[in-house]
C-alpha cells in the first residue's frame, strides 16, 4: 500500500493510494488513520477519508466505504434472497465487516445465517471502527459468526445444509484465492439444497474480465445455470462490478411484479438505497462486453 506523504504545497495533507492495479488507481485524502494491523492473513488499514467516510482496505485494496457500501451489500444479498423461492438457511463466507450479515437478517424468512470469516481481526476492527455497517447484526439470535476457514467449513457441512451461499471475498489473489477453485464450487453444490444458489463477486470486467470468465467456467462444471448481474459501486473503479450467480434451477423469467410482492412481504420495499425490484430484474441485462465472458447456453 502506498501512503503518499505531504509535499510542500500540501503540508497538512496525507493521501492513501489503492494498489489493486499497477497502471491505474484511485487515492483518498486521509482525515485520520484509525487502525493499521498486520494479521496472520493480510494487511488491514481503516481510515477516515475526506470523501467516503470510513474506509476498510485489505492488502492495499478498498473493500468497503461507509458512503457507498449499500450498493454492494444490497445487491450481493437481496438479489439472491429474492431469487430463491424460500431461503431459510444462508451461509456467508467472508464479509467480515458484517454488512452482508445485516442485510441477510433483514429477511424475516431467514431462520439461520451462518457467517464464516477467516480473519478475526477484520471482524474486531469493523466492530470498533465501522459499527454503522453491521449495526446490531452481530448480536442477532439468528446469526452464527464463526472465525475460521470457509473452505474447511463447507467441506465439513452436511449435504443440502443451506439454501443460499453468499461469498464476499477479496479478489482471487492471496487469502481469497482458494474461494475460486473447482473443489470449492463442487463442495458448495453439494451443501446447497435442491433449489440452492451461490453468489460471489467476480470483479470489474473492464479491468478483470478473466475473473468473470474463469469463475463462470468453473461454476458451470457443477451448476446447470450460471449467470451474472451488475452493480455500479463507485469505489470499485472501472465501471460495473459483476456478481456471479450459479443455481440448481433456472432463474430466468423473474419479473418486477413478483419481486416487488416478495419485497413487500418482507417489509423491505422502500427501505433500500440501491436495490429495487426494477434494478433487481434489470441488473441481469448485461452489456455485450460483459456478457461475452459468460458460458454460452448456461443461463
Amino acid at each position: 500500500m502506498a501512503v503518499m506523504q505531504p509535499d510542500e504545497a500540501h503540508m497538512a495533507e496525507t493521501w492513501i493510494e489503492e494498489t489493486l492495479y499497477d497502471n491505474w488507481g484511485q487515492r483518498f485524502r486521509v482525515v485520520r488513520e484509525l487502525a493499521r494491523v498486520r494479521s496472520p492473513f493480510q494487511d488491514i488499514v481503516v481510515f477516515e477519508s475526506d470523501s467516503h467516510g470510513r474506509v476498510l482496505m485489505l492488502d492495499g485494496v478498498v473493500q468497503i466505504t461507509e458512503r457507498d457500501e449499500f450498493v454492494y451489500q444490497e445487491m450481493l444479498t437481496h438479489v439472491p434472497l429474492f431469487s430463491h423461492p424460500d431461503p431459510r438457511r444462508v451461509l456467508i463466507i467472508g464479509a467480515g465487516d458484517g454488512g452482508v450479515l445485516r442485510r441477510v437478517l433483514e429477511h424475516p424468512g431467514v431462520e439461520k445465517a451462518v457467517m464464516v470469516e477467516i480473519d478475526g481481526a477484520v471482524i474486531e476492527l469493523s466492530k470498533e471502527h465501522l459499527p454503522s455497517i453491521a449495526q446490531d447484526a452481530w448480536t442477532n439470535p439468528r446469526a452464527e459468526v464463526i472465525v475460521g476457514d470457509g473452505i474447511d467449513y463447507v467441506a465439513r457441512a452436511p449435504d443440502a445444509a443451506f439454501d443460499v451461499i453468499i461469498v464476499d471475498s477479496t479478489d482471487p489473489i492471496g487469502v481469497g484465492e482458494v474461494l475460486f477453485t473447482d473443489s470449492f464450487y463442487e463442495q458448495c453444490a453439494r451443501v446447497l439444497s435442491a433449489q440452492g444458489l451461490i453468489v460471489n463477486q467476480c470483479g470489474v470486467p473492464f479491468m478483470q474480465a478473466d475473473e468473470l470468465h474463469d469463475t463462470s467456467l468453473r461454476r458451470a462444471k457443477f451448476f446447470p445455470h450460471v449467470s451474472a448481474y451488475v452493480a455500479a459501486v463507485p469505489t470499485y473503479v472501472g465501471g460495473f462490478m459483476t456478481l456471479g450467480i450459479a443455481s440448481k434451477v433456472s432463474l430466468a423469467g423473474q419479473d418486477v411484479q413478483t419481486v416487488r410482492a416478495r419485497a413487500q412481504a418482507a417489509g423491505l420495499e422502500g427501505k433500500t438505497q440501491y436495490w429495487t425490484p426494477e434494478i433487481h430484474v434489470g441488473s441481469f441485462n448485461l452489456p455485450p462486453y460483459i456478457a461475452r465472458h459468460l458460458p454460452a447456453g448456461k443461463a
Side-chain angles (χ1 to χ4, degrees):
M1 178 182 304
V3 179
M4 303 185 67
Q5 298 301 325
D7 57 27
E8 293 182 0
H10 302 89
M11 289 301 292
E13 293 185 1
T14 300
W15 295 74
I16 286 184
E17 182 177 330
E18 184 177 39
T19 57
L20 178 59
Y21 309 118
D22 61 8
N23 57 357
W24 187 36
Q26 62 181 328
R27 64 178 189 159
F28 297 85
R29 186 161 61 198
V30 179
V31 175
R32 61 187 174 124
E33 189 174 290
L34 301 169
R36 182 179 291 269
V37 174
R38 175 64 193 175
S39 80
F41 302 98
Q42 56 205 337
D43 287 312
I44 308 168
V45 176
V46 185
F47 63 93
E48 184 94 35
S49 74
D50 188 51
S51 56
H52 288 71
R54 295 186 174 189
V55 180
L56 170 66
M57 298 183 85
L58 301 179
D59 286 338
V61 180
V62 173
Q63 302 300 308
I64 215 77
T65 83
E66 285 183 318
R67 188 172 178 195
D68 70 358
E69 59 88 22
F70 65 90
V71 181
Y72 181 66
Q73 312 275 31
E74 289 179 5
M75 292 298 284
L76 190 62
T77 302
H78 297 323
V79 172
L81 292 188
F82 283 132
S83 295
H84 190 284
D86 187 22
R88 299 185 182 187
R89 301 158 298 165
V90 179
L91 173 62
I92 305 162
I93 297 178
D97 56 76
V100 172
L101 180 64
R102 168 189 158 197
R103 264 67 177 212
V104 167
L105 294 169
E106 289 177 348
H107 291 253
V110 172
E111 299 168 356
K112 186 74 171 179
V114 178
M115 172 183 153
V116 185
E117 163 62 55
I118 198 169
D119 196 340
V122 174
I123 294 176
E124 294 309 312
L125 289 170
S126 296
K127 286 180 178 179
E128 181 179 358
H129 298 297
L130 299 163
S132 66
I133 291 180
Q135 298 182 13
D136 60 356
W138 302 117
T139 57
N140 191 298
R142 293 180 292 145
E144 179 182 358
V145 178
I146 299 168
V147 177
D149 185 345
I151 303 292
D152 183 65
Y153 183 90
V154 170
R156 294 171 181 270
D159 293 356
F162 294 98
D163 301 307
V164 173
I165 298 175
I166 299 174
V167 183
D168 181 16
S169 69
T170 57
D171 288 304
I173 51 176
V175 70
E177 186 173 4
V178 290
L179 297 173
F180 290 79
T181 62
D182 283 7
S183 59
F184 174 67
Y185 290 118
E186 183 176 19
Q187 291 293 338
C188 286
R190 180 185 62 79
V191 304
L192 281 168
S193 55
Q195 295 178 304
L197 57 87
I198 179 173
V199 170
N200 64 294
Q201 70 89 1
C202 288
V204 176
F206 185 80
M207 293 294 290
Q208 301 166 305
D210 287 348
E211 191 170 320
L212 175 62
H213 178 265
D214 295 348
T215 302
S216 298
L217 287 178
R218 287 193 177 100
R219 291 178 307 175
K221 297 177 183 178
F222 309 107
F223 291 89
H225 304 280
V226 174
S227 185
Y229 58 98
V230 293
V233 186
T235 47
Y236 299 161
V237 296
F240 281 123
M241 155 72 70
T242 50
L243 300 167
I245 188 164
S247 57
K248 295 187 175 183
V249 298
S250 176
L251 302 179
Q254 294 189 80
D255 62 84
V256 171
Q257 291 74 22
T258 300
V259 176
R260 175 172 289 109
R262 293 191 60 185
Q264 291 172 342
L268 282 170
E269 187 181 36
K271 295 183 179 180
T272 54
Q273 297 184 74
Y274 186 92
W275 181 94
T276 66
E278 290 81 4
I279 292 292
H280 177 122
V281 174
S283 67
F284 286 88
N285 295 316
L286 303 178
Y289 86 92
I290 296 177
R292 69 170 179 256
H293 300 293
L294 291 172
K298 294 292 289 187

